[in-house]
Amino acid sequence: MTIAPGVTVGALQAGLPLDALENRILLCHVLGLTRVGLITGSERVLTDDEAAHLSALLERRLNGEPIAYIVGQREFFGLPFRVSPAVLIPRPDTELIVELALERLARLAPPARLLDMGTGSGAIAVAVAHTRPDALVTALDVSAAALEVARANAAAIGANVRFVRSDWFTALDSDMFDLIASNPPYIAAGDEHLAQGDLRFEPTGALTDHADGLSALRTIIQGAGSHLVAGGWLLLEHGYDQAEAVRGLLSDAGYADVQSWRDLGGIERVSGGRRA
Ligand code: GLN
């Protein structure tokens, strides 16, 4: 889409082809403005460079690239996270597991130890560590590229997180935790959603286990017992239709207080239990 010369920010915002939120995100990014700056600067005329930059980014968005990758950022838990195609884009649904973890950490004597498995952008670990600077937060990921993004987020947001490169539990030694949380890849191989929307551009290894969707969840449930203190919580995000299966896996592995929690859309999104 070519942007007409001399157009004002206000006129543009109304005329861009994306939805209102994405129009605003893109304009703020290209013009270096805050949300408020966009409103107060509505009479400002775009420079030729800004118009060319905006057209190029619009073109990418219209070709399906996620807006978060185009601007390199997504807000999660009220915090600005840097994202790149090396990491899954944090979803609002995942704020549920952060809230559940924070509720449980609040009941423990400091310093509480939390492990985030498959941290990606660092969303869960950084959000928890930012809210609870006294907690000892460890985050692991198998992807070195993801860990680089997560480390940058922890530094920029000001969260104290220890990062470990590890294929699930393999590099953890005998470390023990009061709570383990994870948003692992849980989409089954061949699921139609993998070929739709933002997911087409996200790292496959963060989305799917290339199997039945439950294999990473099984690995975590089986291994977590050796790294959780007695009574420690395991909290797992999963797909919209996996709650019953995950509760079954947790019960079979001997966890107590097994239950699921619903996200804002009313879907059972997180299941968990305590190490007996
Ligand atoms: N919640 C993501 C989605 O369905 C999937 C994330 C994941 O597999 N952990 O879009």
PDB file of all heavy atoms in Angstrom, residues 88 91 93-94 183-187 199 202 206-208 237 269, ligand 1:
ATOM      1  N   LEU A  88       8.240 -17.899  20.492  1.00  0.00           N
ATOM      2  CA  LEU A  88       6.782 -17.781  20.422  1.00  0.00           C
ATOM      3  C   LEU A  88       6.378 -16.381  20.890  1.00  0.00           C
ATOM      4  O   LEU A  88       6.977 -15.844  21.819  1.00  0.00           O
ATOM      5  CB  LEU A  88       6.172 -18.830  21.360  1.00  0.00           C
ATOM      6  CG  LEU A  88       4.667 -19.010  21.326  1.00  0.00           C
ATOM      7  CD1 LEU A  88       4.312 -19.935  20.157  1.00  0.00           C
ATOM      8  CD2 LEU A  88       4.161 -19.632  22.623  1.00  0.00           C
ATOM      9  N   ARG A  91       1.176 -14.932  24.579  1.00  0.00           N
ATOM     10  CA  ARG A  91      -0.275 -14.800  24.431  1.00  0.00           C
ATOM     11  C   ARG A  91      -0.882 -14.289  25.740  1.00  0.00           C
ATOM     12  O   ARG A  91      -0.397 -14.658  26.813  1.00  0.00           O
ATOM     13  CB  ARG A  91      -0.930 -16.160  24.157  1.00  0.00           C
ATOM     14  CG  ARG A  91      -0.295 -16.979  23.044  1.00  0.00           C
ATOM     15  CD  ARG A  91      -0.685 -16.438  21.696  1.00  0.00           C
ATOM     16  NE  ARG A  91      -0.563 -17.438  20.644  1.00  0.00           N
ATOM     17  CZ  ARG A  91       0.495 -17.615  19.862  1.00  0.00           C
ATOM     18  NH1 ARG A  91       1.578 -16.883  20.039  1.00  0.00           N
ATOM     19  NH2 ARG A  91       0.482 -18.520  18.914  1.00  0.00           N
ATOM     20  N   ASP A  93      -3.416 -15.437  27.092  1.00  0.00           N
ATOM     21  CA  ASP A  93      -3.824 -16.648  27.833  1.00  0.00           C
ATOM     22  C   ASP A  93      -2.773 -17.053  28.856  1.00  0.00           C
ATOM     23  O   ASP A  93      -3.094 -17.625  29.904  1.00  0.00           O
ATOM     24  CB  ASP A  93      -3.961 -17.848  26.881  1.00  0.00           C
ATOM     25  CG  ASP A  93      -4.951 -17.604  25.766  1.00  0.00           C
ATOM     26  OD1 ASP A  93      -5.836 -16.752  25.949  1.00  0.00           O
ATOM     27  OD2 ASP A  93      -4.828 -18.265  24.713  1.00  0.00           O
ATOM     28  N   THR A  94      -1.510 -16.795  28.539  1.00  0.00           N
ATOM     29  CA  THR A  94      -0.410 -17.268  29.375  1.00  0.00           C
ATOM     30  C   THR A  94      -0.264 -16.423  30.644  1.00  0.00           C
ATOM     31  O   THR A  94       0.421 -16.821  31.581  1.00  0.00           O
ATOM     32  CB  THR A  94       0.881 -17.317  28.526  1.00  0.00           C
ATOM     33  OG1 THR A  94       0.614 -18.150  27.386  1.00  0.00           O
ATOM     34  CG2 THR A  94       2.057 -17.898  29.272  1.00  0.00           C
ATOM     35  N   ASN A 183       4.913 -23.488  29.675  1.00  0.00           N
ATOM     36  CA  ASN A 183       4.018 -23.389  28.518  1.00  0.00           C
ATOM     37  C   ASN A 183       4.741 -24.096  27.377  1.00  0.00           C
ATOM     38  O   ASN A 183       5.380 -23.463  26.546  1.00  0.00           O
ATOM     39  CB  ASN A 183       3.750 -21.922  28.182  1.00  0.00           C
ATOM     40  CG  ASN A 183       2.952 -21.766  26.901  1.00  0.00           C
ATOM     41  OD1 ASN A 183       2.313 -22.718  26.433  1.00  0.00           O
ATOM     42  ND2 ASN A 183       2.997 -20.584  26.298  1.00  0.00           N
ATOM     43  N   PRO A 184       4.677 -25.434  27.350  1.00  0.00           N
ATOM     44  CA  PRO A 184       5.471 -26.201  26.387  1.00  0.00           C
ATOM     45  C   PRO A 184       4.779 -26.284  25.028  1.00  0.00           C
ATOM     46  O   PRO A 184       3.634 -25.857  24.892  1.00  0.00           O
ATOM     47  CB  PRO A 184       5.515 -27.578  27.051  1.00  0.00           C
ATOM     48  CG  PRO A 184       4.178 -27.704  27.704  1.00  0.00           C
ATOM     49  CD  PRO A 184       3.818 -26.314  28.174  1.00  0.00           C
ATOM     50  N   PRO A 185       5.475 -26.811  24.016  1.00  0.00           N
ATOM     51  CA  PRO A 185       4.785 -27.049  22.739  1.00  0.00           C
ATOM     52  C   PRO A 185       3.712 -28.128  22.934  1.00  0.00           C
ATOM     53  O   PRO A 185       4.028 -29.223  23.374  1.00  0.00           O
ATOM     54  CB  PRO A 185       5.904 -27.533  21.812  1.00  0.00           C
ATOM     55  CG  PRO A 185       7.008 -27.991  22.703  1.00  0.00           C
ATOM     56  CD  PRO A 185       6.880 -27.209  23.972  1.00  0.00           C
ATOM     57  N   TYR A 186       2.460 -27.777  22.634  1.00  0.00           N
ATOM     58  CA  TYR A 186       1.380 -28.745  22.905  1.00  0.00           C
ATOM     59  C   TYR A 186       0.416 -28.937  21.738  1.00  0.00           C
ATOM     60  O   TYR A 186      -0.632 -29.548  21.871  1.00  0.00           O
ATOM     61  CB  TYR A 186       0.616 -28.375  24.186  1.00  0.00           C
ATOM     62  CG  TYR A 186       0.081 -26.950  24.265  1.00  0.00           C
ATOM     63  CD1 TYR A 186      -0.938 -26.504  23.429  1.00  0.00           C
ATOM     64  CD2 TYR A 186       0.560 -26.069  25.234  1.00  0.00           C
ATOM     65  CE1 TYR A 186      -1.451 -25.223  23.534  1.00  0.00           C
ATOM     66  CE2 TYR A 186       0.062 -24.773  25.348  1.00  0.00           C
ATOM     67  CZ  TYR A 186      -0.941 -24.358  24.507  1.00  0.00           C
ATOM     68  OH  TYR A 186      -1.452 -23.083  24.610  1.00  0.00           O
ATOM     69  N   ILE A 187       0.762 -28.391  20.585  1.00  0.00           N
ATOM     70  CA  ILE A 187      -0.117 -28.583  19.428  1.00  0.00           C
ATOM     71  C   ILE A 187       0.297 -29.875  18.710  1.00  0.00           C
ATOM     72  O   ILE A 187       1.493 -30.097  18.475  1.00  0.00           O
ATOM     73  CB  ILE A 187      -0.043 -27.362  18.481  1.00  0.00           C
ATOM     74  CG1 ILE A 187      -0.451 -26.093  19.256  1.00  0.00           C
ATOM     75  CG2 ILE A 187      -0.914 -27.572  17.262  1.00  0.00           C
ATOM     76  CD1 ILE A 187      -0.358 -24.809  18.435  1.00  0.00           C
ATOM     77  N   LEU A 199       0.841 -18.377  13.694  1.00  0.00           N
ATOM     78  CA  LEU A 199       1.566 -19.633  13.951  1.00  0.00           C
ATOM     79  C   LEU A 199       2.452 -20.044  12.779  1.00  0.00           C
ATOM     80  O   LEU A 199       3.482 -20.675  12.968  1.00  0.00           O
ATOM     81  CB  LEU A 199       0.577 -20.771  14.281  1.00  0.00           C
ATOM     82  CG  LEU A 199       0.046 -20.798  15.721  1.00  0.00           C
ATOM     83  CD1 LEU A 199      -0.877 -19.628  15.999  1.00  0.00           C
ATOM     84  CD2 LEU A 199      -0.663 -22.106  16.022  1.00  0.00           C
ATOM     85  N   GLU A 202       5.864 -18.639  13.526  1.00  0.00           N
ATOM     86  CA  GLU A 202       6.477 -18.868  14.834  1.00  0.00           C
ATOM     87  C   GLU A 202       7.328 -20.141  14.795  1.00  0.00           C
ATOM     88  O   GLU A 202       7.156 -20.990  13.931  1.00  0.00           O
ATOM     89  CB  GLU A 202       5.381 -18.955  15.907  1.00  0.00           C
ATOM     90  CG  GLU A 202       4.673 -17.620  16.069  1.00  0.00           C
ATOM     91  CD  GLU A 202       3.624 -17.604  17.168  1.00  0.00           C
ATOM     92  OE1 GLU A 202       2.576 -18.264  17.008  1.00  0.00           O
ATOM     93  OE2 GLU A 202       3.844 -16.931  18.177  1.00  0.00           O
ATOM     94  N   ALA A 206       8.447 -24.486  19.238  1.00  0.00           N
ATOM     95  CA  ALA A 206       7.772 -23.889  20.392  1.00  0.00           C
ATOM     96  C   ALA A 206       6.281 -24.188  20.369  1.00  0.00           C
ATOM     97  O   ALA A 206       5.585 -23.973  21.356  1.00  0.00           O
ATOM     98  CB  ALA A 206       7.995 -22.380  20.407  1.00  0.00           C
ATOM     99  N   LEU A 207       5.793 -24.669  19.225  1.00  0.00           N
ATOM    100  CA  LEU A 207       4.355 -24.867  19.051  1.00  0.00           C
ATOM    101  C   LEU A 207       3.945 -26.335  19.150  1.00  0.00           C
ATOM    102  O   LEU A 207       2.959 -26.670  19.792  1.00  0.00           O
ATOM    103  CB  LEU A 207       3.922 -24.345  17.679  1.00  0.00           C
ATOM    104  CG  LEU A 207       3.967 -22.836  17.470  1.00  0.00           C
ATOM    105  CD1 LEU A 207       3.819 -22.513  15.993  1.00  0.00           C
ATOM    106  CD2 LEU A 207       2.861 -22.163  18.275  1.00  0.00           C
ATOM    107  N   THR A 208       4.694 -27.195  18.457  1.00  0.00           N
ATOM    108  CA  THR A 208       4.256 -28.587  18.351  1.00  0.00           C
ATOM    109  C   THR A 208       5.337 -29.552  18.815  1.00  0.00           C
ATOM    110  O   THR A 208       6.537 -29.274  18.667  1.00  0.00           O
ATOM    111  CB  THR A 208       3.831 -28.933  16.904  1.00  0.00           C
ATOM    112  OG1 THR A 208       3.501 -30.333  16.836  1.00  0.00           O
ATOM    113  CG2 THR A 208       4.909 -28.632  15.881  1.00  0.00           C
ATOM    114  N   GLU A 237       0.554 -25.033  31.157  1.00  0.00           N
ATOM    115  CA  GLU A 237      -0.399 -24.551  30.155  1.00  0.00           C
ATOM    116  C   GLU A 237      -0.564 -25.637  29.100  1.00  0.00           C
ATOM    117  O   GLU A 237       0.367 -26.400  28.808  1.00  0.00           O
ATOM    118  CB  GLU A 237       0.111 -23.262  29.493  1.00  0.00           C
ATOM    119  CG  GLU A 237      -0.880 -22.764  28.449  1.00  0.00           C
ATOM    120  CD  GLU A 237      -0.544 -21.394  27.864  1.00  0.00           C
ATOM    121  OE1 GLU A 237      -0.065 -20.522  28.609  1.00  0.00           O
ATOM    122  OE2 GLU A 237      -0.791 -21.229  26.652  1.00  0.00           O
ATOM    123  N   ARG A 269      -7.227 -23.875  30.610  1.00  0.00           N
ATOM    124  CA  ARG A 269      -5.982 -23.541  29.906  1.00  0.00           C
ATOM    125  C   ARG A 269      -4.755 -23.985  30.671  1.00  0.00           C
ATOM    126  O   ARG A 269      -3.699 -24.223  30.091  1.00  0.00           O
ATOM    127  CB  ARG A 269      -5.960 -22.009  29.713  1.00  0.00           C
ATOM    128  CG  ARG A 269      -4.759 -21.439  29.044  1.00  0.00           C
ATOM    129  CD  ARG A 269      -4.521 -21.977  27.663  1.00  0.00           C
ATOM    130  NE  ARG A 269      -5.572 -21.633  26.730  1.00  0.00           N
ATOM    131  CZ  ARG A 269      -5.666 -22.153  25.496  1.00  0.00           C
ATOM    132  NH1 ARG A 269      -4.772 -23.019  25.055  1.00  0.00           N
ATOM    133  NH2 ARG A 269      -6.655 -21.814  24.705  1.00  0.00           N
TER     134      ARG A 269
HETATM  135  N1  GLN B   1      -1.111 -21.017  22.718  1.00  0.00           N
HETATM  136  C1  GLN B   1      -0.486 -21.206  21.443  1.00  0.00           C
HETATM  137  C2  GLN B   1      -1.546 -21.250  20.369  1.00  0.00           C
HETATM  138  O1  GLN B   1      -2.389 -22.093  20.377  1.00  0.00           O
HETATM  139  C3  GLN B   1       0.335 -22.468  21.432  1.00  0.00           C
HETATM  140  C4  GLN B   1       1.458 -22.353  22.372  1.00  0.00           C
HETATM  141  C5  GLN B   1       2.090 -23.647  22.690  1.00  0.00           C
HETATM  142  O2  GLN B   1       2.064 -24.635  21.958  1.00  0.00           O
HETATM  143  N2  GLN B   1       2.670 -23.657  23.807  1.00  0.00           N
HETATM  144  O3  GLN B   1      -1.564 -20.397  19.522  1.00  0.00           O
END
